[in-house]
């Protein structure tokens, strides 16, 4: 039987590969993946750093049909993570924020296990959380910067 951690990381590697494939020949420096898995809701999105500029999925993949397919496939991968965690009796993260550096192949990720979207007092939409993270990265506040982000792992 495969080791849980290996299977868990293989699914995330697949999400990064999906995003890189969709970007095609673009000069991608960093791929950011975001996943929200709470209750009955699962949401995936991605953005990129190219030439030092943060760009959203539709800026990198202008074909709307392809961009929607990336979001659907990423969401399917998050469903696979949920299933894997359930089958193995492991807690499933409610949020995943990943940062893949194309030059080094390094991957840093932060998992949250607390309710974010489903919090009865402060719940917000996954899109709002994603947009806020992308804005933070754009303004230089990258919480997964390898220069020493707290709570991240390689």
């Amino acid at each position: 039987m495969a080791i849980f951690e290996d299977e868990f990381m293989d699914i995330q590697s697949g999400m990064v590969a999906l995003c890189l494939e969709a970007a095609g020949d673009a000069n991608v420096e960093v791929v950011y993946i975001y996943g929200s898995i709470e209750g009955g809701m699962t949401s995936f999105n991605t953005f990129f750093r190219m030439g030092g500029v943060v760009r959203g999925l539709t800026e990198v993949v202008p074909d709307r049909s392809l961009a929607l397919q990336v979001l659907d496939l990423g969401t399917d991968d998050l469903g696979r993570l949920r299933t894997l965690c359930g089958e193995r009796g492991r807690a499933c993260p409610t949020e995943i924020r990943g940062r893949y550096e194309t030059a080094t192949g390094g991957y840093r990720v932060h998992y949250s296990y607390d309710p974010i979207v489903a919090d009865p007092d402060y719940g917000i939409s996954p899109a709002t959380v994603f947009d806020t993270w992308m804005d933070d990265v754009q303004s230089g506040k990258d919480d997964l910067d390898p220069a020493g982000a707290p709570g991240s792992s390689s």
Side-chain angles (χ1 to χ4, degrees):
M1 183 186 298
I3 298 173
F4 170 80
E5 289 79 9
D6 291 341
E7 290 182 68
F8 195 81
M9 287 309 298
D10 285 348
I11 294 170
Q12 289 178 78
S13 294
M15 288 189 275
V16 170
L18 167 69
C19 296
L20 284 170
E21 182 178 340
D25 293 332
N27 186 24
V28 175
E29 298 163 357
V30 181
V31 176
Y32 295 88
I33 61 167
Y34 176 79
S36 174
I37 310 168
E38 282 191 64
M41 186 176 359
T42 305
S43 177
F44 173 84
N45 212 331
T46 185
F47 62 98
F48 307 85
R49 181 175 302 278
M50 301 166 61
V53 178
V54 173
R55 300 186 186 280
L57 175 62
T58 56
E59 293 176 89
V60 177
V61 182
D63 178 329
R64 182 169 168 74
S65 174
L66 179 57
L68 289 173
Q69 187 176 18
V70 169
L71 297 177
D72 287 344
L73 291 170
T75 300
D76 290 347
D77 285 341
L78 291 173
R80 290 177 47 222
L81 282 178
R82 180 195 305 257
T83 298
L84 175 66
C85 290
E87 289 174 352
R88 299 293 179 88
R90 302 287 187 104
C92 185
T94 55
E95 179 184 67
I96 298 171
R97 294 183 189 206
R99 180 184 206 274
Y100 176 77
E101 299 271 344
T102 59
T104 64
Y107 181 66
R108 298 180 67 80
V109 64
H110 173 78
Y111 304 106
S112 178
Y113 292 86
D114 298 321
I116 296 168
V117 176
D119 184 297
D121 296 322
Y122 304 105
I124 57 176
S125 76
T128 300
V129 175
F130 172 80
D131 290 342
T132 300
W133 183 38
M134 188 171 155
D135 289 346
D136 285 350
V137 170
Q138 224 162 8
S139 66
K141 296 180 267 182
D142 184 351
D143 60 341
L144 296 178
D145 188 319
S152 60
S153 61
S154 312

